[in-house]
C-alpha cells in the first residue's frame, strides 16, 4: 500500500480507537494538505520526501507526532498520486484547486449573457475535469492507449454538455423574452446552484467511468492487492461525484441566499459594493466547503467483503478491503 494511503488509513484506524470525530479530523488534515505554500516545493524536494517516507520504515500504527515526518507526509499527500507514484502537475494538485477554481466560479456566477455563461462554464468544467482525471484512481486495468483515448473523448463530450446545460436557462429566457421578476429569480438565483452541482457530479462520473466499467484494485489491511472490483470502482466514483456536487452546489447556493438578505437589508448600497460582498461570500463559502467536501468520505475507502464480486470473495478471508477513492 502506498505511503499516502497508509497515512489516511492509519489516521482513520486511530480515530476509531479513541472515538474522535472522523469527519472533523479529516477536515483538519485536508486543511493542512490544501495549503497553497506546498505548491512552491520543487520536484526534487518532493522526490526526496517520498524517498524519506519509503525508507523510514514507519508502520504508521500510531498517528504522526514528529513534526518533520508530518510535513513530509503533507507534501506527499498534496503532490504525488498514490496509485502511480508520479508527481501531479502543479496546476492540478489539491492545493491549486481553490486558487484556480475560485475565479472560474465567480465568473460563472455572474449570469450575464448566455454566451458568456457558456464560455465561463466551459473553462470551469475543463479545469475540474482535468483535475478529476489526474487525481482519480489510477489502477484501472485496460489497454493504456485506448483507456486514455476513451477518457479524453468522453470528458470533452461531458464538458460541452455541462456548459450547454449551464447556459440553457439564459438562452430560454432570452429567446422567449421572459423578463418577469419571477423568471429572473428562478433563472438567475434558484437554478444555477442545482445545475452546477449536478453537472460537476456528471462530469466526474463520465471522466471516471472506466473505474466502474473495468474496476479498480482492492487491497487487504496489509496493502496486498487481492483483485480488481467494479463495485469498488462504482462506490469510489459515486462518493467523489457526491462530494463535488456538494462543494459547488453549496458554493453557488449559499452566497445567493446571503446576498438576498444583504440586498433587502441594504447593507451595500452601490453596485460596486454589492459585487465586492458577493465575491467575498463566494470566496469564504468555497474556501470553507473545499475541505468539508473532501472530508465527507475517507480517502482510503473501505468496502465490505460481502459487497464484492464472487471471484474476490474466494481469494481472501478479510472482512474489509481498501481502495483509493481518488479526489
Amino acid at each position: 500500500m502506498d505511503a499516502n494511503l497508509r497515512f489516511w488509513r492509519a489516521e482513520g484506524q486511530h480515530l476509531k480507537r479513541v472515538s474522535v470525530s472522523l469527519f472533523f479530523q479529516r477536515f483538519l488534515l485536508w486543511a493542512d494538505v490544501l495549503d497553497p505554500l506546498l505548491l512552491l516545493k520543487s520536484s526534487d524536494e518532493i522526490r526526496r520526501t517520498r524517498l524519506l517516507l519509503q525508507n523510514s520504515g514507519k508502520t504508521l500504527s500510531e498517528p504522526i507526532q514528529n513534526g518533520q515526518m508530518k510535513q513530509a507526509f503533507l507534501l506527499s499527500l498534496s503532490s504525488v498520486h498514490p496509485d502511480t507514484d508520479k508527481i501531479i502537475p502543479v496546476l492540478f494538485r489539491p492545493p491549486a484547486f481553490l486558487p484556480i477554481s475560485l475565479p472560474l466560479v465567480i465568473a460563472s456566477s455572474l449570469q450575464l449573457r448566455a454566451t458568456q455563461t457558456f464560455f465561463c462554464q466551459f473553462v470551469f468544467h475543463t479545469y475540474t475535469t482535468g483535475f478529476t482525471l489526474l487525481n482519480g484512481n489510477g489502477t484501472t486495468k485496460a489497454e493504456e492507449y485506448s483507456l486514455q483515448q476513451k477518457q479524453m473523448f468522453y470528458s470533452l463530450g461531458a464538458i460541452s454538455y455541462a456548459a450547454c446545460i449551464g447556459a440553457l436557462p439564459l438562452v430560454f429566457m432570452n429567446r422567449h423574452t421572459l423578463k418577469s421578476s419571477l423568471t429572473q429569480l428562478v433563472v438567475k438565483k434558484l437554478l444555477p446552484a442545482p445545475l452546477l452541482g449536478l453537472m460537476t457530479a456528471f462530469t466526474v462520473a463520465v471522466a471516471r467511468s472506466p473505474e466502474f466499467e473495468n474496476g479498480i484494485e482492492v487491497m487487504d489491511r496489509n496493502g496486498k492487492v487481492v483483485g480488481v472490483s467494479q463495485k469498488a470502482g462504482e462506490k469510489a466514483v459515486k462518493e467523489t461525484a457526491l462530494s463535488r456536487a456538494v462543494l459547488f452546489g453549496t458554493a453557488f447556493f449559499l452566497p445567493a441566499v446571503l446576498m438576498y438578505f444583504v440586498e433587502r437589508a441594504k447593507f451595500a448600497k452601490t453596485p460596486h459594493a454589492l459585487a465586492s460582498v458577493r465575491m467575498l461570500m463566494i470566496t469564504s463559502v468555497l474556501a470553507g466547503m473545499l475541505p468539508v467536501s473532501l472530508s465527507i468520505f475517507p480517502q482510503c475507502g473501505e468496502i465490505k467483503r460481502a459487497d464484492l464480486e464472487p471471484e474476490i470473495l474466494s481469494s481472501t478471508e478479510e472482512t474489509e478491503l481498501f481502495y483509493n477513492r481518488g479526489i
Side-chain angles (χ1 to χ4, degrees):
M1 186 180 289
D2 180 82
N4 289 2
L5 292 180
R6 285 191 292 116
F7 178 88
W8 287 113
R9 180 171 175 269
E11 290 291 312
Q13 292 298 315
H14 170 70
L15 291 172
K16 289 178 183 178
R17 291 199 298 272
V18 299
S19 301
V20 179
S21 169
L22 285 168
F23 172 82
F24 182 66
Q25 186 65 16
R26 284 199 296 264
F27 175 85
L28 294 178
L29 283 171
W30 273 116
D32 289 335
V33 172
L34 294 170
D35 183 0
L37 294 177
L38 293 171
L39 296 172
L40 302 178
K41 304 295 184 180
S42 66
S43 296
D44 289 339
E45 189 170 354
I46 295 170
R47 292 189 187 96
R48 287 196 299 269
T49 297
R50 289 287 290 182
L51 190 61
L52 169 67
L53 296 177
Q54 292 166 0
N55 295 336
S56 66
K58 190 170 182 62
T59 63
L60 290 181
S61 59
E62 295 296 332
I64 302 296
Q65 300 295 339
N66 182 281
Q68 183 179 3
M69 285 300 297
K70 184 162 187 177
Q71 287 302 313
F73 270 105
L74 291 177
L75 180 57
S76 178
L77 292 169
S78 68
S79 308
V80 180
H81 196 290
D83 295 325
T84 63
D85 200 35
K86 293 180 180 179
I87 297 176
I88 303 169
V90 64
L91 294 180
F92 296 96
R93 295 176 193 169
F97 191 74
L98 178 62
I100 295 178
S101 64
L102 175 59
L104 300 177
V105 170
I106 292 174
S108 298
S109 70
L110 297 178
Q111 299 289 314
L112 298 174
R113 292 200 296 265
T115 52
Q116 293 174 329
T117 300
F118 172 83
F119 176 76
C120 290
Q121 295 214 6
F122 186 87
V123 175
F124 166 78
H125 287 297
T126 298
Y127 174 74
T128 56
T129 303
F131 183 90
T132 298
L133 289 172
L134 290 171
N135 289 276
N137 187 289
T139 63
T140 303
K141 302 299 182 184
E143 186 179 342
E144 185 174 358
Y145 176 74
S146 63
L147 177 64
Q148 292 179 351
Q149 190 179 43
K150 183 178 180 180
Q151 280 185 308
M152 292 298 293
F153 179 76
Y154 280 6
S155 297
L156 183 59
I159 291 166
S160 302
Y161 178 78
C164 288
I165 293 297
L168 188 61
L170 286 174
V171 173
F172 182 80
M173 186 180 72
N174 294 334
R175 176 165 294 184
H176 296 278
T177 61
L178 302 174
K179 303 295 184 180
S180 68
S181 57
L182 178 60
T183 303
Q184 295 277 343
L185 174 66
V186 171
V187 171
K188 294 193 173 183
K189 302 293 184 183
L190 300 181
L191 275 181
L195 278 182
L196 188 67
L198 286 172
M199 288 301 100
T200 50
F202 170 74
T203 55
V204 169
V206 172
R208 292 181 57 177
S209 59
E211 294 180 28
F212 54 79
E213 290 176 355
N214 302 326
I216 61 175
E217 290 182 354
V218 290
M219 300 161 282
D220 61 19
R221 66 181 67 255
N222 298 316
K224 178 185 176 183
V225 176
V226 297
V228 175
S229 170
Q230 291 176 315
K231 292 182 178 179
E234 182 180 353
K235 186 170 183 283
V237 174
K238 280 183 177 179
E239 290 174 348
T240 306
L242 178 59
S243 67
R244 196 73 63 84
V246 169
L247 170 62
F248 289 112
T250 305
F252 254 45
F253 176 73
L254 195 54
V257 172
L258 294 175
M259 282 303 301
Y260 171 77
F261 291 106
V262 168
E263 291 172 1
R264 288 201 62 179
K266 297 182 179 180
F267 288 134
K269 298 182 179 180
T270 66
H272 179 73
L274 284 172
S276 299
V277 172
R278 181 181 292 108
M279 286 191 290
L280 178 61
M281 288 183 176
I282 293 174
T283 302
S284 301
V285 172
L286 190 61
M289 282 302 301
L290 181 54
V292 168
S293 67
L294 293 173
S295 305
I296 296 174
F297 303 103
Q299 198 58 32
C300 185
E302 299 180 12
I303 187 168
K304 300 293 183 183
R305 177 176 176 269
D307 296 333
L308 294 169
E309 291 83 349
E311 57 270 23
I312 299 179
L313 295 179
S314 61
S315 62
T316 181
E317 296 299 323
E318 297 276 351
T319 57
E320 285 185 337
L321 295 172
F322 304 90
Y323 59 89
N324 174 30
R325 179 174 67 84
I327 303 175

